Amino acid sequence: IRSQIESSPIVLALIGPTGVGKTTTLAKLAALYSIKRGYKVGLVTIDTYRIGAVEQLRTYAEILAVPLEVALTTDQLKAALERLRESCQVIFLDTAGRSQQNGMQLRELKAFLQAAAPDETFLVLSGTQNLSGARQVLANFAQLGAGSLIISKLDEVASFGPVASILSEGKLPLCCL
């Protein structure tokens, strides 16, 4: 990714079901890229569904001293990304959690992802997810173009069996834990 960042701004999107920790994970990654690696980072959210979602990300943005854009439509998303590309090297896109069982919500999310054209899309999966549920998430989110997997909430995991099984099945490469 470093060579991509050096040549032009990159957009990294996080997708996944509700409650898996996408926003918190995004904030941790933004801190890593901003504070530890020294890149100019920007944040965009299209998560205007969850109560307090924008405020949560705005707090993270203020702590990190990075710009935040909020988009309600695909056109607003495109415009927000263009504004951030002028001053940022790495742009993180936070998305609304979507049920893997709701085709309409997944199609709506796909439209936003097509508008954003991210350089990389990460599927965030909770380590607390049972194996059959994790398989369903992977299958139903596959249509959204995730290139790799982030496993969240490992501090809450009682047994690593489901996580190990998902990783060994190799549907998506692991990005980070």
Side-chain angles (χ1 to χ4, degrees):
I1 289 182
R2 183 178 300 266
S3 62
Q4 277 183 287
I5 295 171
E6 302 298 330
S7 63
S8 66
I10 65 167
V11 177
L12 305 174
L14 276 69
I15 62 172
T18 56
V20 297
K22 289 178 301 301
T23 303
T24 302
T25 300
L26 182 138
K28 290 176 181 180
L29 290 171
L32 173 70
Y33 277 82
S34 176
I35 296 168
K36 295 214 178 213
R37 296 188 180 165
Y39 291 112
K40 294 176 184 164
V41 170
L43 307 177
V44 180
T45 186
I46 60 171
D47 185 1
T48 56
Y49 299 96
R50 182 172 54 90
I51 295 172
V54 173
E55 290 76 16
Q56 179 186 8
L57 199 55
R58 182 168 283 122
T59 300
Y60 289 137
E62 288 172 4
I63 291 168
L64 295 172
V66 300
L68 169 66
E69 296 272 350
V70 179
L72 299 172
T73 67
T74 56
D75 287 338
Q76 288 178 359
L77 176 58
K78 289 177 186 178
L81 290 170
E82 282 308 307
R83 284 191 296 275
L84 288 175
R85 281 186 175 106
E86 293 174 9
S87 62
C88 298
Q89 295 169 289
V90 182
I91 302 164
F92 288 96
L93 173 60
D94 190 31
T95 63
R98 293 298 184 219
S99 169
Q100 67 272 17
Q101 299 174 9
N102 189 321
M104 184 182 74
Q105 288 181 345
L106 292 175
R107 285 188 296 279
E108 179 187 59
L109 179 54
K110 186 175 186 175
F112 274 97
L113 290 171
Q114 288 173 336
D119 296 281
E120 184 74 39
T121 301
F122 303 99
L123 175 58
V124 181
L125 183 65
S126 173
T128 63
Q129 180 77 56
N130 66 45
L131 184 55
S132 64
R135 285 180 176 143
Q136 186 181 35
V137 168
L138 286 169
N140 292 359
F141 274 84
Q143 65 178 307
L144 302 179
S148 57
L149 191 62
I150 296 174
I151 307 291
S152 64
K153 300 189 176 191
L154 286 179
D155 58 328
E156 299 176 16
V157 174
S159 168
F160 289 97
V163 171
S165 293
I166 287 299
L167 295 176
S168 71
E169 290 173 8
K171 302 275 191 232
L172 285 177
L174 179 64
C175 168
C176 57
L177 300 170

